[in-house]
Amino acid sequence: METAVANASNVTGQQDFLPLNGTDYVEFYVGNAKQAAHYYKTAFGFQSVAYAGPETGVKDRASYVLVQNKLRFVLTTSLVPDSEVARHVAKHGDGVKVLALWVDDARSAFEETVKRGAEPFLEPVVEKDEFGEVVRSGIRTYGDTVHLFIERKNYNGPFLPGYKEWKTVYNPTETGLQYVDHCVGNVGWNEMNTWVSFYERTMGFKNLISFDDSDISTEYSALMSKVMSNGNGRVKFPINEPAEGKKKSQIEEYLDFYGGPGVQHVAIATNNIIETVSELQARGVEFLTVPGSYYDTVLDRVGKIDEDIAPLRKLGILIDRDDEGYLLQIFTKPIQDRPTVFFEIIQRKGAQSFGKGNFKALFEAIEREQALRGNL
Ligand code: TYF
Ligand code: FE
């Protein structure tokens, strides 16, 4: 079936063989999905939407679906000692298993990527219930992470067939989180270019920006990063690899604790970062902090901005500028005991870049935490 997005051309004017409408959902495999769901509702303001588990006929796992604006998270836990979910959690701790992509044709997405060399994870499968039908398929990416392709144009249920609507009495207010801006993967030593080629070759992504260690070395930590984007720019996947530095790279610390490559951070967009971060901090979300001196000189670097500097300084929000505008960003501390996955909150005011001007201050903040853990 033809749609506007299926006809979209990429920047070189060629037909996009993998048209993506955006991120469909991010699925975390966790040790205790019931408690994780409470945390995402209470601390981040997600709303209860759907549930699958023993009550819906799924015997080996429980999954909670949470939504805030265009952002959808799924929290899944194993109910049995030995399962794909249990093994993932035992190896990686809580982490991201699935970066699901919303497509108009999940069969074509599978065929086009697999014929270009992607490793199959899920052969196309059609699932139906009283709300219609969904086609899903999937391929593997770095580590144990996978991309699922979700075709839901003939479906109007709460999430996917097999899930039932989940209504709760406890519904904390939203915090202004809007959608997934980008999802970053950490891969092993010298593996960045392998995964850059994977996204180019099998998914038709383009390398938007590259950062080498001269951009991002601090005194100790070092890494390299390339940002991959799909044709319409709705899906952006930066890939980091560790680089040799004076001490242990933050990427190496992640790889040690995650047990290999995986998702490092999910960046979530907001339309008002001051309101969003004030609310998140009031609800107990912990963020990295930079020295007060950052704010003494930041306006010399970024020029005039719409916001007052005082609340940005109080909240610890970072600012950067490029040719197209500026951006405001802040990073949480890791959201589980292992120093692995964290979130970025970002508000773009024209800028389509990733905050290169903040790398030094940010990485020094990460290293202070690394040192407290004894991992620097
Ligand atoms: O996504 C990015 O590129 C920025 C900066 O370990 C960044 O958010 C890069 C690497 C990293 C933490 C943040
Ligand atoms: Fe980021």
Side-chain angles (χ1 to χ4, degrees):
M1 200 189 98
E2 281 199 357
T3 70
V5 173
N7 286 325
S9 301
N10 62 25
V11 281
T12 59
Q14 289 158 336
Q15 271 263 306
D16 191 346
F17 64 80
L18 181 63
L20 302 175
N21 298 326
T23 303
D24 195 283
Y25 64 89
V26 178
E27 181 166 7
F28 298 78
Y29 281 1
V30 300
N32 187 334
K34 182 173 231 170
Q35 289 188 7
H38 191 285
Y39 170 70
Y40 282 99
K41 289 172 64 171
T42 303
F44 289 89
F46 281 81
Q47 306 300 306
S48 310
V49 165
Y51 169 83
E55 299 85 346
T56 69
V58 180
K59 294 303 179 195
D60 65 339
R61 57 171 73 187
S63 296
Y64 297 79
V65 183
L66 299 169
V67 168
Q68 185 166 176
N69 298 304
K70 291 182 183 163
L71 192 59
R72 177 155 52 205
F73 280 6
V74 181
L75 303 163
T76 293
T77 199
S78 179
L79 301 175
V80 296
D82 192 30
S83 68
E84 179 231 337
V85 180
R87 285 189 294 273
H88 197 280
V89 173
K91 180 172 180 190
H92 302 296
D94 288 8
V96 174
K97 175 65 184 182
V98 184
L99 295 173
L101 302 169
W102 176 27
V103 299
D104 291 328
D105 188 340
R107 291 182 186 87
S108 153
F110 184 83
E111 280 163 23
E112 296 292 332
T113 51
V114 169
K115 90 176 180 208
R116 288 171 172 82
E119 193 184 328
F121 173 72
L122 176 68
E123 298 273 335
V125 50
V126 184
E127 286 153 331
K128 299 178 189 184
D129 66 10
E130 73 264 39
F131 300 108
E133 70 168 51
V134 170
V135 189
R136 296 188 304 134
S137 65
I139 58 173
R140 295 185 174 279
T141 179
Y142 46 77
D144 290 326
T145 317
V146 302
H147 293 308
L148 291 188
F149 301 116
I150 311 292
E151 172 187 330
R152 48 170 77 259
K153 61 182 187 288
N154 299 314
Y155 194 68
N156 64 7
F159 178 51
L160 293 173
Y163 285 77
K164 68 157 203 223
E165 189 179 17
W166 176 38
K167 287 206 153 149
T168 50
V169 178
Y170 176 64
N171 305 304
T173 55
E174 298 192 341
T175 60
L177 303 178
Q178 297 293 335
Y179 58 87
V180 173
D181 184 277
H182 59 275
C183 293
V184 182
N186 283 343
V187 301
W189 290 93
N190 305 312
E191 287 178 1
M192 177 178 69
N193 286 325
T194 306
W195 291 103
V196 164
S197 311
F198 165 86
Y199 282 106
E200 282 171 350
R201 202 179 69 248
T202 75
M203 296 180 70
F205 282 38
K206 292 269 171 339
N207 178 203
L208 277 189
I209 318 174
S210 305
F211 304 107
D212 64 22
D213 25 359
S214 68
D215 296 313
I216 45 190
S217 317
T218 62
E219 202 192 336
Y220 298 134
S221 184
L223 62 93
M224 296 202 281
S225 188
K226 287 187 178 175
V227 181
M228 305 307 294
S229 172
N230 82 316
N232 62 21
R234 292 186 203 175
V235 178
K236 285 172 282 190
F237 292 149
I239 309 287
N240 299 332
E241 74 174 24
E244 214 62 68
K246 286 197 190 145
K247 294 209 179 173
K248 187 184 202 146
S249 167
Q250 53 162 303
I251 309 305
E252 226 184 321
E253 186 196 26
Y254 174 102
L255 295 169
D256 287 351
F257 282 87
Y258 199 71
V263 171
Q264 179 213 36
H265 75 268
V266 177
I268 304 172
T270 170
N271 299 325
N272 188 333
I273 197 165
I274 293 177
E275 277 178 22
T276 294
V277 173
S278 300
E279 195 57 43
L280 294 175
Q281 289 187 5
R283 297 174 188 213
V285 178
E286 294 182 327
F287 291 90
L288 296 174
T289 55
V290 296
S293 57
Y294 173 94
Y295 295 93
D296 299 340
T297 54
V298 66
L299 293 181
D300 302 336
R301 177 164 62 82
V302 302
K304 203 179 133 35
I305 58 170
D306 302 336
E307 293 75 11
D308 290 335
I309 198 76
L312 298 176
R313 179 194 282 263
K314 177 168 162 280
L315 296 165
I317 293 165
L318 308 176
I319 313 148
D320 195 29
R321 184 178 283 282
D322 65 20
D323 315 340
E324 294 174 279
Y326 69 98
L327 62 80
L328 303 155
Q329 63 185 169
I330 189 169
F331 297 83
T332 71
K333 293 184 179 179
I335 50 154
Q336 57 290 303
D337 293 290
R338 297 193 199 192
T340 55
V341 187
F342 58 86
F343 292 115
E344 172 182 353
I345 309 297
I346 183 166
Q347 182 177 7
R348 294 188 181 279
K349 299 196 110 177
Q352 295 307 316
S353 50
F354 291 80
K356 179 177 159 183
N358 292 323
F359 284 179
K360 189 166 188 299
L362 169 64
F363 295 160
E364 284 171 354
I366 293 175
E367 284 155 20
R368 282 191 291 278
E369 302 287 318
Q370 236 180 300
L372 292 174
R373 294 187 282 260
N375 296 331
L376 186 62

